Amino acid sequence: MAEDDDHDAARARDAERLRQLEARLGQKVEPPEASRGEEHFSQANLAWRMVTELVAGLGIGFGIGFGLDTLFGTTPILMVVFVLIGLAAGIKTMLRTANEIGKAPGQSGDDKGR
């Protein structure tokens, strides 16, 4: 029975030491910082975003021009015009995205690059 008392006392001491160690470790552990990857797009993501914006502008311009040419029965002149308009819109959107790269988080970009 004396061995059981010693064993229980040793377990109680070990449990108390473990709680103290956990408390000390909890004080030393710093909270993890938010990674910059969560706040910003990586460069590859920005590049794909800009390519997608350009292709979307071209695709929408082509679709509108082709639809209007079909509707009015004209030669593909409206398709060419709207593809060029879509190209200009895609490039303008790409430039706006490129201006956002240097901005601080939370600030929106504008067309003037400010």
Side-chain angles (χ1 to χ4, degrees):
M1 182 122 162
E3 286 181 21
D4 288 338
D5 290 339
D6 290 339
H7 183 65
D8 290 340
R11 287 188 116 186
R13 282 192 309 267
D14 289 344
E16 181 59 32
R17 288 178 54 204
L18 184 60
R19 279 192 290 276
Q20 290 174 357
L21 177 63
E22 287 176 349
R24 285 188 295 173
L25 287 175
Q27 292 171 353
K28 296 201 183 240
V29 173
E30 296 176 5
E33 296 178 10
S35 68
R36 290 189 53 86
E38 294 174 0
E39 297 175 5
H40 300 290
F41 291 120
S42 69
Q43 296 297 322
N45 285 343
L46 282 171
W48 277 112
R49 177 181 168 188
M50 292 192 329
V51 167
T52 303
E53 290 168 349
L54 179 64
V55 170
L58 286 170
I60 291 170
F62 174 80
I64 291 172
F66 184 79
L68 289 176
D69 277 335
T70 303
L71 182 67
F72 296 130
T74 58
T75 59
I77 189 70
L78 291 176
M79 184 177 65
V80 171
V81 169
F82 277 94
V83 164
L84 293 176
I85 291 172
L87 178 67
I91 290 173
K92 182 177 179 183
T93 306
M94 281 177 50
L95 291 174
R96 188 177 309 137
T97 301
N99 285 335
E100 289 179 11
I101 292 174
K103 297 286 183 187
Q107 291 181 346
S108 62
D110 61 5
D111 291 340
K112 295 175 180 60
R114 291 188 220 148

